[in-house]
Amino acid sequence: MAVSLRFDVISLFPELFAPFTEAGVARRAFESGQIVLRLWNPRDFAEGNYRRVDDRPFGGGPGMVMMAEPLARCLRAVQADRTDAPPVLLFSPVGQVLNHAAVEHWSAGAGAILICGRYEGIDQRFIDSHVTHQVSLGDFVLSGGEIAALALLDAVARLQPGVLHDEGSHQSDSFNPAVDGLLDCPHYTRPEEWAGQRVPAALLSGHHAQIERWRRDQRLALTARERPELIAAARAAGCLNAVDEAALAHLGNSAPTGL
């Protein structure tokens, strides 16, 4: 029997996660037990009548900072509830930007403890003592780590067997090694003509090789135009053949190997 992935989320707003587990394709991963999601609120581990979890920053400045002790107590409760020693992941602007390779890494493990910060951030002493990984969605700031946690959970969930109707569906996704890390090609559906625009003839040909070549050329063209660094990475990895290079040259997007 396959071992479930278990993710424990520490968040001041655990109610944000329930709708995600009950809707869309990702819910199948939770309904089937392939992913076990446990939610923990650090306020439940805070002291005093007000269950305070934040305070003013030393040195002054705007906003509030999440206190180390309620988080540490909450984390100890999570760790005591698990039989393994999972990584502790904090969503933070200083972290590595989440990409497909990282999603595959988290999908292949046994899960993790996800820390969702709020306010101006978390007391650095908690981070230094307990956080093993930091992850970012990109160069922008969110109100809290919950959206980033949901993004990771969704990306991991769709990689689980049976979550997508077509087992190989994610293999053609953008950034997947199955398409050499390139962007996905454009997609079309009925009707064949809409608003004066027709579906590309290659997709209507019924010729499998011709269709696949068209899709490959579109991936190359789109990636070269929007994310040329991915073309350089694919070239450096030896993923581009002579036909690919000819297609890029025809587009005027052939890049020097040192790019």
Side-chain angles (χ1 to χ4, degrees):
M1 181 178 178
V3 177
S4 298
L5 286 170
R6 173 171 167 174
F7 288 95
D8 291 85
V9 177
I10 295 178
S11 166
L12 290 172
F13 299 94
E15 64 272 15
L16 295 176
F17 291 84
F20 167 73
T21 64
E22 298 168 358
V25 297
R27 78 179 190 282
R28 299 176 189 145
F30 301 96
E31 290 176 348
S32 66
Q34 290 170 284
I35 296 180
V36 175
L37 181 63
R38 295 287 307 277
L39 303 172
W40 305 76
N41 192 333
R43 200 175 298 279
D44 296 334
F45 299 85
E47 295 181 326
N49 294 333
Y50 296 102
R51 299 285 183 178
R52 191 166 189 172
V53 295
D54 63 315
D55 209 332
R56 296 183 182 277
F58 282 119
M64 305 290 277
V65 177
M66 292 186 70
M67 300 164 67
E69 186 58 26
L71 284 169
R73 288 181 183 148
C74 184
L75 178 61
R76 286 195 292 270
V78 175
Q79 292 170 329
D81 194 60
R82 297 186 61 138
T83 57
D84 56 353
V88 178
L89 188 158
L90 172 67
F91 297 100
S92 163
V94 309
Q96 293 292 315
V97 176
L98 189 65
N99 58 22
H100 182 81
V103 171
E104 287 193 323
H105 166 77
W106 295 113
S107 178
I113 300 171
L114 311 181
I115 310 286
C116 300
R118 280 274 163 173
Y119 314 124
E120 290 300 310
I122 291 174
D123 190 309
Q124 186 64 39
R125 292 168 293 184
F126 174 84
I127 298 173
D128 293 341
S129 299
H130 298 292
V131 171
T132 62
H133 297 74
Q134 297 194 57
V135 171
S136 170
L137 291 190
D139 295 342
F140 58 94
V141 177
L142 297 165
S143 298
E146 287 80 10
I147 292 176
L150 287 168
L152 175 60
L153 290 169
D154 182 80
V156 168
R158 66 191 309 280
L159 294 184
Q160 304 309 305
V163 171
L164 301 179
H165 283 306
D166 185 338
E167 287 289 330
S169 180
H170 66 81
Q171 295 293 322
S172 61
D173 285 346
S174 296
F175 315 116
N176 197 296
V179 293
D180 301 322
L182 304 177
L183 298 177
D184 196 8
C185 62
H187 298 279
Y188 300 85
T189 188
R190 298 176 190 279
E192 291 183 15
E193 182 174 341
W194 177 80
Q197 303 175 72
R198 294 191 59 80
V199 174
L203 298 179
L204 304 175
S205 68
H207 191 287
H208 180 73
Q210 183 179 344
I211 292 170
E212 288 307 306
R213 187 65 247 174
W214 181 89
R215 287 175 172 164
R216 179 70 172 184
D217 288 347
Q218 292 296 310
R219 290 187 180 103
L220 291 166
L222 181 61
T223 307
R225 184 175 73 245
E226 304 295 341
R227 296 288 303 274
E229 76 278 10
L230 298 179
I231 292 288
R235 180 178 285 125
C239 296
L240 304 184
N241 59 31
V243 180
D244 294 333
E245 295 289 4
L248 287 168
H250 178 72
L251 293 167
N253 287 315
S254 181
T257 54
L259 181 65

